[in-house]
Amino acid sequence: MKLNIALLPGDGIGPDVVVQAVKSLQAVADAFGHTFHFEEALVGAIAIDKTGDPLPEETLAVCKKSDAVLFGAIGDPKYDNDPKAKVRPEQGLLKLRKSLGLFTNIRPIKAYPTLIEKSPLKKDIISGTDFTIYRELTGGIYFGEKKISEDGTIASDLCEYSEAEIERIAHLAFKATRSRKNKLTLVDKANVLETSRLWRRVVTTIGKSYPDVELDFLFVDNAAMQIILNPSQFDVILTENMFGDIISDEGSVIGGSIGLLASASVGSDIAMFEPIHGSYPQAKGKDIANPVASILSAAMLLEHFNLKEEAETIQYAVEKSLEKGVVTPDLDKNSTYGTNKVGDFIADFILHAE
Amino acid sequence: MKLNIALLPGDGIGPDVVVQAVKSLQAVADAFGHTFHFEEALVGAIAIDKTGDPLPEETLAVCKKSDAVLFGAIGDPKYDNDPKAKVRPEQGLLKLRKSLGLFTNIRPIKAYPTLIEKSPLKKDIISGTDFTIYRELTGGIYFGEKKISEDGTIASDLCEYSEAEIERIAHLAFKATRSRKNKLTLVDKANVLETSRLWRRVVTTIGKSYPDVELDFLFVDNAAMQIILNPSQFDVILTENMFGDIISDEGSVIGGSIGLLASASVGSDIAMFEPIHGSYPQAKGKDIANPVASILSAAMLLEHFNLKEEAETIQYAVEKSLEKGVVTPDLDKNSTYGTNKVGDFIADFILHAE
Ligand SMILES: [Mg+2]
Ligand SMILES: [Mg+2]
């Protein structure tokens, strides 16, 4: 397969980790006979520095002619700590998501057996946890009409959803269960919210076309409890934007290793893949950033193009690196491996495993 | 002090536990020379059975002439599992909250050293956790305008807050920190929501009248992570209705003993105190329900009337019962103590400790 991949390393440790993901992708290309063509572009603080714009037109053009985008991280204290800053790095990411129509955020959450002692949860609770959250990303209260009264004493935010917005993500989530455990949990607050009742109605109807998928429902407050009490019960969780924000961040910490978590943002056309961690500017260029989340984001990219064996090869190489203790200091403070060596190990393993 | 206390035992295990709370209150009255007058009234499924109304006028009248309400639990499968039921037990609770103008829900969350091994979190994480959540209870998206388009394809919910709604609960929360660790954390989503920005502005302004209180801010998605990663950092959390629903339910499970958690709902006049657990109808009348949450609700009632030593005496007696293993089977499956014996031990200890 030929793939054109736009690389947007961004700020802080973004460039440090994206280069390692590219190594793994190149190894997959060599091992499986694919051709991946990479084109780099500016985004975030570095783009503001060089062009004044956190998402220059040229970058958007590079993304739009690509098949997928591999994103690093965004954010720099120079702008974040300046309340007067008119352009902010984050605007680049938001504009990019919008321009590419990325309406679904996908976040796999997995407890790696070798890292289980790092979890804040007890071993018997976190063991076996392996689920994915499908969060609606462009609708709901974050994007609804905002009002503030003239005298500034009454404020409001509108949460709105249409059938069509729910349908498109619901199909993605139902399909995703089929390569997993065939179980979908809709998280909502249908006992109180009209939008949640619409979600429940639409998802129930769509569920009839997926008779092999077990569908259940959980109120968001209960979901927030269940993620702590019994996270291994979940397979795929589907939810609206704000609930997804809260639930997926809650879920991100239960494995104890946020530096490993990848994500995908998917729309009708070009998809984007990125680690969930931030730009961590203090670690920039120090060869200490954990490249695994970025490498697993590359695996999600391959999965997106149905290159399942290729994706699994990366995932397996990552698991081997964890098992053998070839990890950055965030996972083992006595480790002498840096970002580069971990990236090399994983890429070598991919080639070697074939 | 003379107090008129309305007792609303309600359904399921409600009556089983309320009677134990009354024992403790009576013990406090005897030990400290107070006079508590109790008057019982119907609410919930039992009220529907006897009067057709989950909150009969007479019950509301009893509450309104009291100084405080001690509530048990509500809900019965007879109504909950009948989709055609026109009156539901829960309506009684909602109407009562509304009638009494209870705009603040208060939920203390505490890790009891003797129960720490029951927590889903690791010991070093849960140890020392002791915080209280102040949740706004009558505003926000749960009560805002709900719409559904005529063809049923677009739904919306409005989240609205006024300065006045925020001010009244903010004062309660700031004051509460003063008998604790003088720290208030506002949980919001001010980077996205207009209502959250109003909360932040109003709370910041009010904070100037409480210069001794340290005020900080946390986005709700981050709060959902911090409750798992580092719950002992919190003292008092203040938040809006829906965030409070999610965060307080999440917080309720980290201690590992939901059967111990009490709550208060406070307005401008009569306050109500109740365990957070439900009516658990399967255990009704079996002498196995844990009475501690109800007993600690009685302690919150005393605290509300500034009877601090009295409240602490109850709390201390509860801690002793836990320490000595005088607990119901939910906390120790080998325990031979029932609801009554635990209630007796705590009441005796209150009298005896004096
Ligand atoms: Mg978030
Ligand atoms: Mg709740």
Side-chain angles (χ1 to χ4, degrees), chain B residues 209-226:
Chain B
S209 340
Y210 300 87
D212 52 319
V213 180
E214 182 197 335
L215 173 64
D216 63 8
F217 307 95
L218 207 58
F219 294 141
V220 60
D221 46 338
N222 192 6
M225 299 197 279
Q226 295 303 321

Side-chain angles (χ1 to χ4, degrees), chain B residues 240-312:
Chain B
E240 62 97 65
N241 199 347
M242 192 177 68
F243 295 157
D245 187 9
I246 299 170
I247 291 295
S248 63
D249 281 343
E250 183 187 355
S252 72
V253 301
I254 61 174
S257 38
I258 208 164
L260 302 190
L261 298 182
S263 78
S265 296
V266 172
S268 43
D269 188 12
I270 302 147
M272 187 162 93
F273 303 85
E274 57 178 313
I276 74 159
H277 62 65
S279 62
Y280 192 27
Q282 311 92 300
K284 176 180 179 168
K286 290 192 180 156
D287 196 39
I288 54 170
N290 191 337
V292 166
S294 186
I295 292 170
L296 289 174
S297 300
M300 287 186 84
L301 185 156
L302 297 173
E303 232 174 339
H304 180 73
F305 291 101
N306 228 2
L307 301 175
K308 285 187 187 166
E309 201 188 332
E310 290 84 338
E312 279 164 17

Side-chain angles (χ1 to χ4, degrees), chain A residues 189 221-222 225, chain B residues 107 135 245-246 248-249:
Chain A
K189 190 72 184 176
D221 44 340
N222 192 6
M225 300 198 278
Chain B
R107 280 230 208 152
R135 165 190 171 190
D245 187 9
I246 299 170
S248 63
D249 281 343

Side-chain angles (χ1 to χ4, degrees), chain A residues 119 122 153 157 163 195 242, chain B residues 119 122 153 157 163 195 242:
Chain A
S119 169
K122 286 187 178 142
T153 62
D157 299 277
E163 210 173 74
T195 44
M242 193 176 68
Chain B
S119 168
K122 285 186 180 144
T153 62
D157 298 278
E163 209 173 74
T195 45
M242 192 177 68

Side-chain angles (χ1 to χ4, degrees), chain B residues 318-334:
Chain B
V318 164
E319 278 169 33
K320 281 289 155 191
S321 75
L322 297 175
E323 246 176 75
K324 290 188 184 295
V326 182
V327 295
T328 42
D330 55 308
L331 294 184
D332 172 5
K333 61 179 188 298
N334 300 317

Side-chain angles (χ1 to χ4, degrees), chain A residues 135-241:
Chain A
R135 165 189 171 192
E136 204 288 327
L137 202 56
T138 54
I141 199 168
Y142 288 179
F143 292 92
E145 190 184 15
K146 283 150 196 18
K147 285 189 192 170
I148 178 90
S149 64
E150 252 180 54
D151 63 357
T153 62
I154 301 175
S156 71
D157 299 277
L158 186 70
C159 178
E160 194 173 62
Y161 269 108
S162 71
E163 210 173 74
E165 283 176 298
I166 300 165
E167 280 169 354
R168 59 186 185 182
I169 184 173
H171 281 294
L172 293 179
F174 272 109
K175 281 176 193 150
T177 67
R178 289 184 162 164
S179 55
R180 299 181 52 94
K181 286 170 274 173
N182 286 67
K183 189 180 158 191
L184 184 66
T185 302
L186 176 66
V187 168
D188 64 25
K189 190 72 184 176
N191 53 342
V192 185
L193 301 180
E194 199 63 48
T195 44
S196 285
R197 287 189 278 267
L198 182 62
W199 272 83
R200 208 171 265 218
R201 213 154 54 231
V202 172
V203 170
T204 303
T205 303
I206 291 176
K208 290 179 187 141
S209 339
Y210 299 87
D212 52 319
V213 180
E214 182 196 336
L215 172 64
D216 63 8
F217 307 95
L218 208 57
F219 294 142
V220 60
D221 44 340
N222 192 6
M225 300 198 278
Q226 295 303 322
I227 283 177
I228 297 174
L229 292 175
N230 184 14
S232 65
Q233 75 185 283
F234 296 115
D235 183 25
V236 176
I237 289 177
L238 168 63
T239 192
E240 61 98 65
N241 199 346

Side-chain angles (χ1 to χ4, degrees), chain A residues 279-337:
Chain A
S279 62
Y280 193 24
Q282 311 91 301
K284 176 181 179 168
K286 289 191 180 154
D287 196 41
I288 55 171
N290 191 337
V292 166
S294 185
I295 292 170
L296 289 174
S297 299
M300 288 186 83
L301 186 155
L302 297 174
E303 233 173 339
H304 180 74
F305 291 100
N306 228 1
L307 301 175
K308 285 186 187 166
E309 202 188 331
E310 290 84 339
E312 277 165 18
T313 302
I314 293 186
Q315 287 153 357
Y316 186 67
V318 164
E319 277 169 35
K320 280 290 155 191
S321 76
L322 298 174
E323 248 177 72
K324 291 188 184 294
V326 182
V327 295
T328 43
D330 54 308
L331 294 183
D332 172 6
K333 62 178 188 297
N334 300 318
S335 172
T336 56
Y337 294 99

